[in-house]
Amino acid sequence: MGFVNIDITKKYPDFVLKCRLDFNNKINGIFGPSGSGKSTILNCIAGFVAPDIGNIKINDKILCKISGSNLLHNDNILLNPEHRNVGYVTQKPNLFPGMNVDENIRYGYKDEYLISVEEIIDTMNIKNLIHRYPNELSGGEAQKVSIARALASFPSVILMDEPVSELDLKSKLMVLGYLKKINESFSIPIIYVSHDISEIVSICDKVAIIEYGQVKDVKNSQSLTYFPSNDEEFENIYVINESISGNSIFINNIRINTLHKLKSANAVILIPSTSIILSKYALNHIDAENVFLGKIENIKLMNCKVRVFCNIGFDIVSDISKNSFKKMNLNINDNIYVIFKSENVKISYI
Amino acid sequence: MVIESLILTIQVSIYATLLNIPLAILFGLIITRYKSKSINLTLDVLISLPLVLPPVLSGYFLLVIFSPIGFAGAFLDRVLGVEIVFTKMAAVLACSIVSFPLMARAVIIAFDSVNRDLEKIARSLGAGYIRMFFTVTLRESKYGVIAGILLGFARSLGEFGATIIFAGNIQGISRTIPLAIFQSIQTGNDNDLSLLIFCSVGLGFLSVLINYFLINKSTRNNKG
C-alpha cells in the first residue's frame, strides 16, 4: 500500500472525475492537460471539495470516507481541511499580504512540532527575507516562502498545484531544487500537479497521467511517454543524464544536434511531434541537422492527423497530416527518414 | 435643543450601527461564501428592500410589527414588559433598518474581494473558520468593511422618515438632528435652524470624507 491512497468519484454537470491512486512517500506527479481533473484531486485531498463517493487515506488516517450520496449518513467521514494536516501550495504564492515572511511561516506552526521554524528557514535559504512583506519579494522568493509556510505546519503530505508555472526559468529551477531537498531532508511526501511534462520528469518519482477525469496510466517518470488521445500536439521526451559533447547529446548512443551548448549534464530533451518531418527517400542538401534512417513501428489514425511511431535507435513519434499520409503511402515496417532541425530540440534542465 | 439633538443623533446612530455590524457581517459571509443561489437571492432582496422602499413605509412596517398589538410588540410587552414605539430604542431601530442596506452592500463587496485561495491556505494550515475569518477574511477586507460601517453610520445621521413614524418627534427621546431641523422650519426658529444645518452638514461631510479615504485604501490594497 502507498502512503496516500485515494479512490474517489466526483460528478459535475459536464465532467466526471473517477480515480484510484496510491502515492508513495517521494515526489509523486499528476500530469494531464488543462481541465483533466488534476486540481480537483488535490482539492479533494485537501478537503476543499467533497467527493460524491469514495475514500482518501494518508498513512492509514482516514480523511474522507463517503459511501452514499447522503453526506450526513452515520458511517460517512469528512474531515475539515484544518484537521487533515495537509500542506497546500498553489500556482501563485498567495502569501498573507498583511504579514511579513516570518509571520507567514509561523501561521500554521505549533511548538510541539519536530521541525523548528529556524530549520525550515535555513533549509529554504530565506533568512535574509524574514522581515520583508510579500510585496517586497520576487516571484521565486515568494514561492519559496509559500513552500516554507506549508512545511512549517508539519504536514503529512504537501500538495502542489503547478507551483512553478508562473516563474521564470531561473526561479523555476531554484524552486524545483528545493522541492527535492525538502522531500529528502524532512521525508514529507509531495503530490505535484502540472501540465508541463518537463517539470514532472525533472522532479517526480512516479507519475499518474490523467485525461478526462480518468487515470490513464501510472509510470516511473524516467520512462514517461505521453500521447494525448486527441489531436493535441505533444512532445517526445528524453531524459539525459550524461553523454554531452558540445552542441550534441546522445540518446541510446545516437547523436542529436542541438542549437545551444548544454549547460548541465542533467536535462530533459523535448522534440515536438509536429516538428518532425518524415521522408521515404534520402534528402541531400537539406538544412536540418538531424537526419536519421529508421523504421515505422506503428501508425495511428487520429481525427485530423496521423500519428506515426518510428524507431531510429530510440522511439520517436511524428504527427503528419492525413493528406501527406495518403500521398506517401506509409506502412508499418517501412524504412523511413526522420528529420528535425536542431532548433526544434528543446532543453529543460533538471 | 441643538446640543441635545446633536448628542441624541450621535448616540442613536452609534447604537444603530453597532446593531447592524454583526448582521451585515453574517449576511455578507452567507452571500459571498454560501453557494446556494436561492438563499443568496432571498437575502439579497431582503437587504435591498429598505433601500428602494420609502423610509416612511419602513417606519410604518416597524410600527405595525412593534406596536402593542403587533406580533413582536405584544411579545416584548408580555414577556419583558418593554414598549418600543415612540422611544429612543424605536429611533435606533428605524435608523438601523434604513442604514442596513448601505452597510451590508459595502461589506458584501469587501468580502467578495478577498482572495479565496488565502482562506483555503489558512484552513490547510490548521485554522478553523473563526481564526480564518479574523486573520484572513476580515484582515484583508478591513478597509472595505470599515467604509461600509461608516456609510451606514452616515446614513443613520440623516434618517428622518422611518424615525418620525416609528419613534415620533419627542424632544430628548427621538428628536434627532433631521427631526429638529423639521421642527425648526415649522416653528420658524432660524437661530437653531442655522446651527442644526451646520451640525448636519459637518457630520455628513466628515463621514463621507473618511469613507472616501477608506474606499481608496481598500481599492489600492486589492490592486496591490
Side-chain angles (χ1 to χ4, degrees), chain A residues 115 119 123 178-188:
Chain A
I115 318 173
E119 206 178 329
T123 308
Y178 280 109
L179 294 189
K180 282 186 185 170
K181 196 172 164 188
I182 60 170
N183 177 249
E184 282 158 15
S185 312
F186 301 108
S187 303
I188 294 176

Side-chain angles (χ1 to χ4, degrees), chain A residues 5 30 45 56 70 88 105 108 125 135 187 201 203 205 231 296 299 340 343:
Chain A
N5 317 105
I30 301 180
I45 300 173
I56 301 170
N70 183 4
Y88 189 64
I105 294 173
N125 198 17
N135 59 1
S187 303
V201 171
I203 63 155
D205 177 59
D231 281 332
I296 297 177
I299 294 169
F340 51 89
E343 66 203 55

Side-chain angles (χ1 to χ4, degrees), chain A residues 21 23 28-32 38 41-42 191-194 200 208 210:
Chain A
L21 285 167
F23 297 108
N28 300 268
I30 301 180
F31 170 76
K38 309 180 295 289
I41 296 175
L42 289 197
I191 300 178
Y192 187 96
V193 157
S194 179
I200 293 274
I210 310 281

